[in-house]
Amino acid sequence: MKMVDVGAKAKTERVAIAEGKVWMSPRALERIRTGTVEKGDVIAAARLAGIRAAKRAPDIIPLCHPIGLAGVELDASLEEGGVALRARVKTVDRTGVEMEALAAVAAAALTVYDMLKSVDRGMRIDGVQLVHKSGGRSGTWHRDGQTADLIRADRRKSKPGVRAKSREER
Amino acid sequence: MKMVDVGAKAKTERVAIAEGKVWMSPRALERIRTGTVEKGDVIAAARLAGIRAAKRAPDIIPLCHPIGLAGVELDASLEEGGVALRARVKTVDRTGVEMEALAAVAAAALTVYDMLKSVDRGMRIDGVQLVHKSGGRSGTWHRDGQTADLIRADRRKSKPGVRAKSREER
Amino acid sequence: MKMVDVGAKAKTERVAIAEGKVWMSPRALERIRTGTVEKGDVIAAARLAGIRAAKRAPDIIPLCHPIGLAGVELDASLEEGGVALRARVKTVDRTGVEMEALAAVAAAALTVYDMLKSVDRGMRIDGVQLVHKSGGRSGTWHRDGQTADLIRADRRKSKPGVRAKSREER
Amino acid sequence: MKMVDVGAKAKTERVAIAEGKVWMSPRALERIRTGTVEKGDVIAAARLAGIRAAKRAPDIIPLCHPIGLAGVELDASLEEGGVALRARVKTVDRTGVEMEALAAVAAAALTVYDMLKSVDRGMRIDGVQLVHKSGGRSGTWHRDGQTADLIRADRRKSKPGVRAKSREER
Amino acid sequence: MKMVDVGAKAKTERVAIAEGKVWMSPRALERIRTGTVEKGDVIAAARLAGIRAAKRAPDIIPLCHPIGLAGVELDASLEEGGVALRARVKTVDRTGVEMEALAAVAAAALTVYDMLKSVDRGMRIDGVQLVHKSGGRSGTWHRDGQTADLIRADRRKSKPGVRAKSREER
Amino acid sequence: MKMVDVGAKAKTERVAIAEGKVWMSPRALERIRTGTVEKGDVIAAARLAGIRAAKRAPDIIPLCHPIGLAGVELDASLEEGGVALRARVKTVDRTGVEMEALAAVAAAALTVYDMLKSVDRGMRIDGVQLVHKSGGRSGTWHRDGQTADLIRADRRKSKPGVRAKSREER
């Protein structure tokens, strides 16, 4: 078990974007829309929880490097079926911020769940994944639309959850 | 915004079980199977990260109550398509431990991602959800198939973001 | 140095209310009113930061007991001269929650400062104080209005900041 | 809600100094002077709590950047009416340390309160404010004496707590 | 990997006492005695760090239960060869506080090291061990003097550090 | 009390290695060897706890600087009498990582204790010490073998635990 040595890597600008979604009942979604959630403002709470989790990623994830962060943005938007979350994290350091972006999305999603669980216990967090990263030795990576289409096709044909192939595997 | 007052609730035994899955490429899964992940033992790291996150739930989730925990178990098993995670949390307190169980699964999933991201950036965390809770005023709750069917119906009618079907829905 | 032994005290309901104010320029206050603060929603951020700090009081304050909290409310309202903060914390435990309420107000005030500091570096946090506590061996305590009047009188006479006398000193 | 992007800023030396005061009864102050506080050494505890809070500022304040700190000093001195606190924080990074200095003062003040609250519940934390910052794009800023005098004058005339005008507003 | 279920245990008073020692050069010890350590008051810092670590034990030790603490005392005394540390922790809960007491001693010892490391890098932390625990199903346990004598005898015979046998092994 | 100013130091590669040992009964050691510890995999848990503690050193140790870490390795091996721990921490920053390495060893040792305490309460943590550091103004430092021999000799003669003299003292 080790936190890999990144001492020889260059300090460069690195960005990561992750996304995820909390699926919920129409009733729960309506509560957010109408601002009638007993615990308060769901979207504001989710965004702050996400930004905080980006800062705490090395504390939540055992082998994640502690680094300084240059900026974090967390968008939460209501769409059909639930709340879509998207985090963008930037650093100028020796290692990437994929985990920070993913941790931000996960914490924001948990917060949405927490604030609405008295209305709908059946909510589900899905599709927490990296959509973009740039900077660093491995360069830029995108989860592309075509791949996403393939996933859907695959799913229709047979089994659930065939994963998006990363660019480097194709 | 408030952390709701649970002072009048009784201190009773409460249990929550949550689950989730990290979908990954066969190559990444093979690495876990063969114990050839550079960062070390993925399953052990995921389990410990999950247990720790259960304890830190009130720190990760803004309006979650700080309570004592009686026990936490985190199972991680390799199955087709990735790693399945399942957390069971128990308390004897005034409020339930749904968030603790969900936070445990989320942190374990993030840890799996972190340890394998150099092999597969396209991994995806899906189906993070409560499967059971018992104890407390609202009694016992199970995620059942029928409810899941309703969600599916709603989804079929319209939109993007087709989610991975969970095993119990098939 | 010690964290005093409260093992022999009874577990009873205890409440504490604290308050404080962030004084700021009309320009900064206007920004909150018009929702034009670059970093986002000041009031929502302050409230969440305050609630979280209540939970983290034993971590911020060296000899403060770690206890479970039954509920936390944090109100932030715009008034002449700045933002008034008020925290109400409740527990059912062996020790009071004065520090939790005060920590909540302090963290909320720091958050207000942080979000507006690019507009007004001269803001000041004043009057962070307990206004009420009930429960426990020492019973109920109120900071009363008459005392507050005396403070103002004192200030007029001589120097700023003569403190509110507690009930037991009069 | 976002943690603003400072990635394009230069890493330069930045210093911030903040101050604050805990007003208390002569009886409470005497306890510190005579070293007869049950919980232990108030000044040592306050200083350590303050230094620690400077390190934890990004954890206490939601949108505060996590950065490395080069040094922290926390002075606590007994003066008429209570304990005066002053924190000096230094970094060599892309963003200033105003929040770290203010958080240090606030945590030190809360610690003073905690250690003496059994003697005087009526203590009050006042005047937590920035007194100096240097480094960074916005240059050097001082809260000046003349302004402080104006505050006192203002207070005498009418109501307490009229805020110090920052240099840029005059 | 699991945090064992203590839900069926009774909430009873439990106490644990642990000790340890930081061995150091006469020069380093003299610095503490004369109060000439650049970083400040070593004993006060060690005591506070120890008390805080008792509260944070579940965060430092992966499978340690998060519980409320009734009281913590941390003594640090100068004796021949270095600084002796002793922590006493008390709770009224379902599980013991051995880990809290040991974590307190360890953190206090690390703090002593940190404050003196510019004077003596060769310091060593030894004998961090439980000396007493009471309460709970397993009752009272003492590390006794005779055992300690045996350790010394063992060491003389052969190799350093043969461990103290616990009562139950004899 | 102050966190000393390192702002004028150069950012250079710095490494520290620390070690320690948990002495235990043959019975406890056998449990690890046979993988029959109820709480789970002792070595994996100890390693992860150690790596995490390296990241949290500034939080555990009051005057320790918060810095980024380039890499952390934690080895735990079974040897006669117990578990030997060794941490190697690397940074590229303005201050060394001795405290990070020592904190890693201490937390790993506490974790070993926690996982086996139901089998052997008499375990003891010994010899937590720095064995190597390089980088920075003070250059390279080694704890050498000869000194270690002297310690053993000293112990045989009189009392346990005479400390290793650092190179600069001889």
Side-chain angles (χ1 to χ4, degrees), chain B residues 1 3 5-6 58-59 62 64, chain C residues 47 52 55-56 70 72 90:
Chain B
M1 215 82 79
M3 195 170 81
D5 188 347
V6 298
D59 196 39
C64 175
Chain C
R47 293 177 76 180
R52 227 190 125 260
K55 296 193 270 186
R56 296 295 290 271
V72 183
K90 184 173 161 184

Side-chain angles (χ1 to χ4, degrees), chain D residues 67-107:
Chain D
I67 58 171
L69 301 183
V72 182
E73 284 173 61
L74 198 306
D75 295 320
S77 55
L78 305 192
E79 45 174 62
E80 210 187 342
V83 179
L85 302 159
R86 189 178 181 90
R88 185 182 183 279
V89 182
K90 184 173 160 184
T91 192
V92 183
D93 217 315
R94 289 186 176 80
T95 180
V97 281
E98 292 95 323
M99 295 322 300
E100 282 76 4
L102 287 162
V105 167

Side-chain angles (χ1 to χ4, degrees), chain C residues 11-32:
Chain C
K11 281 209 167 190
T12 57
E13 187 177 300
R14 294 154 193 265
V15 171
I17 301 174
E19 64 177 17
K21 183 159 183 179
V22 187
W23 295 94
M24 62 184 64
S25 66
R27 191 154 65 103
L29 195 55
E30 190 59 21
R31 287 289 188 94
I32 306 180

Side-chain angles (χ1 to χ4, degrees), chain D residues 92-152:
Chain D
V92 183
D93 217 315
R94 289 186 176 80
T95 180
V97 281
E98 292 95 323
M99 295 322 300
E100 282 76 4
L102 287 162
V105 167
L110 291 169
T111 300
V112 169
Y113 188 98
D114 179 49
M115 297 191 78
L116 286 163
K117 70 177 187 288
S118 63
V119 179
D120 178 8
R121 268 203 196 79
M123 286 175 288
R124 189 179 54 205
I125 301 168
D126 261 347
V128 177
Q129 58 189 13
L130 190 68
V131 289
H132 170 86
K133 66 134 298 217
S134 62
R137 213 162 38 188
S138 67
T140 298
W141 180 92
H142 289 290
R143 178 181 294 271
D144 71 32
Q146 202 180 350
T147 311
D149 288 345
L150 289 172
I151 301 169
R152 271 193 288 276

Side-chain angles (χ1 to χ4, degrees), chain D residues 13 70 90 92, chain F residues 5-10 94:
Chain D
E13 187 177 301
K90 184 173 160 184
V92 183
Chain F
D5 188 347
V6 299
K9 292 189 179 182
R94 289 187 176 79

Side-chain angles (χ1 to χ4, degrees), chain A residues 2 23 39 52 56 59 80 99 110 121-122 124-129 133 138 143 155 160-161 163, chain B residues 23-25 52 56 59 110 120-122 124-129 138 143 155 158 161-164:
Chain A
K2 65 175 171 179
W23 295 93
K39 288 189 168 188
R52 226 191 127 260
R56 296 296 290 272
D59 196 38
E80 210 184 343
M99 295 321 302
L110 291 169
R121 269 204 196 79
R124 188 175 55 205
I125 301 168
D126 261 348
V128 177
Q129 58 188 14
K133 65 130 307 210
S138 66
R143 179 179 294 271
R155 272 187 180 152
R163 153 205 93 69
Chain B
W23 295 94
M24 62 183 65
S25 65
R52 225 190 127 261
R56 297 296 290 272
D59 196 39
L110 291 168
D120 178 7
R121 268 203 198 80
R124 187 179 56 206
I125 301 168
D126 261 348
V128 177
Q129 59 189 12
S138 66
R143 175 176 295 271
R155 274 183 182 158
S158 50
V162 172
R163 118 216 118 65

